[in-house]
């Protein structure tokens, strides 16, 4: 059996998340409050919801709850995972779990990432359901298509596009000719797309001030859909800001491990649902090995 822990990102956040965890790990909660300058418990449990949904706060909240969830899982089961992976922001929790950095360092990185992404200017994203990513790309390659990027490859027929608000609105109208299931997302930025390039450049400079430790557990990268190589973490975290989240391929890699057993740690079951869709959309490998 291959034990795999996966960690959700923005979009899985909700008021009340982490309720059962904050009281169990007061020392980590105090550390988070000291880094952030506000009560993370108050934010997660009581909001206000508008603040919790602001990416500057959402990312910090999701990282904290994800990290506490991982610590609690290890403490209660005594079982380390064989692989870890996170969706977008969740990749930082995966790297914490793998020992790339301690809890506080991870939160410092996430807080800076969130601030830079918020400063990148207004953006929008939309989920396209019911058609393949290949067809989405074909539509977006047309002469009349606006300059938007494929941001998330979430499942065989669930793709997210990202870009400036007016361009996403135009892309939605084009894509509705292919499928009626095109859903604008409640985000304020063009995440994992070209408008994040300035944020990526500044984040690269910020990351240069940190030394990331060797990974003790394999982490499957959003950017490559394969485990991080040694000394690759900083480069991939920068690329992640403008590159698509290759979730379908990442889970495909993990499904090829012997008897994969997934555990989603953090609020909700968004990733569990995506993993089920990905399983259905591919054959079970014969003689899979690690």
């Amino acid at each position: 059996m291959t034990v795999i822990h996966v960690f959700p990102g923005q979009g899985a956040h909700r008021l009340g998340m982490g309720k059962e965890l904050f009281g169990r790990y007061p020392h980590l909660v105090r550390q988070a409050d000291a880094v952030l300058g506000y009560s993370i418990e108050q934010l997660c449990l009581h909001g206000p919801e508008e603040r919790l949904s602001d990416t500057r706060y959402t990312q910090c909240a999701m990282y904290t709850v994800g990290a506490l969830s991982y610590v609690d899982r290890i403490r209660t089961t005594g079982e380390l995972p064989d692989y870890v992976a996170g969706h977008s922001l969740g990749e930082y929790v995966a790297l914490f779990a793998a020992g790339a950095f301690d809890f506080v360092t991870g939160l410092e990185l996430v807080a800076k990432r969130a601030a830079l992404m918020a400063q990148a200017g207004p953006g929008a994203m939309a989920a396209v359901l019911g058609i393949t990513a290949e067809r989405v790309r074909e539509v977006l390659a047309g002469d009349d298509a606006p300059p938007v990027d494929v941001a998330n490859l979430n499942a065989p027929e669930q793709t997210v596009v990202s870009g400036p608000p007016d361009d996403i609105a135009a892309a939605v109208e084009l894509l509705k000719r292919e499928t009626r299931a095109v859903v604008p997302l409640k985000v304020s930025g063009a995440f994992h797309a070209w408008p994040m390039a300035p944020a990526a450049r500044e984040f690269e400079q910020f990351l240069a001030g940190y030394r990331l430790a060797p990974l003790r557990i394999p982490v499957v990268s959003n950017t490559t859909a394969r485990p991080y190589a040694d000394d690759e973490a900083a480069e991939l975290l920068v690329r992640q800001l403008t590159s698509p989240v290759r979730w379908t391929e990442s889970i495909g890699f993990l499904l090829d491990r012997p008897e994969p057993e997934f555990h989603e740690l953090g609020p909700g079951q968004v990733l569990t649902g995506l993993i089920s869709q990905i399983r259905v959309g591919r054959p079970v490998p014969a003689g899979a090995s690690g």
Side-chain angles (χ1 to χ4, degrees), residues 119-202:
Q119 292 168 15
M125 302 176 77
V128 187
L129 312 177
I131 58 175
T132 65
E134 288 75 17
R135 184 56 190 150
V136 172
R137 287 194 172 105
E138 288 173 2
V139 172
L140 296 179
D143 293 338
D144 57 345
V148 303
D149 284 348
V150 168
N152 298 347
L153 298 151
N154 285 338
E157 293 191 352
Q158 184 181 137
T159 304
V160 175
V161 295
S162 179
D166 289 346
D167 291 331
I168 287 295
V172 166
E173 292 307 310
L174 280 178
L175 290 162
K176 280 182 176 178
R177 301 174 188 173
E178 303 291 325
T179 175
R180 294 184 179 181
V182 184
V183 183
L185 302 181
K186 294 182 179 180
V187 299
S188 58
F191 305 144
H192 301 289
W194 64 265
M196 287 292 138
R201 288 192 292 271
E202 192 166 344

Side-chain angles (χ1 to χ4, degrees), residues 238-289:
V238 172
R239 287 173 57 191
Q240 191 214 46
L241 287 170
T242 55
S243 299
V245 175
R246 296 165 61 182
W247 192 248
T248 300
E249 292 173 80
S250 297
I251 296 304
F253 170 84
L254 291 166
L255 285 170
D256 286 341
R257 304 310 99 192
E259 300 180 59
E261 180 180 281
F262 291 88
H263 300 275
E264 183 170 358
L265 303 183
Q269 293 290 301
V270 172
L271 299 184
T272 300
L274 293 178
I275 291 167
S276 295
Q277 293 179 46
I278 295 165
R279 279 185 189 271
V280 169
R282 71 193 300 271
V284 177
S289 65

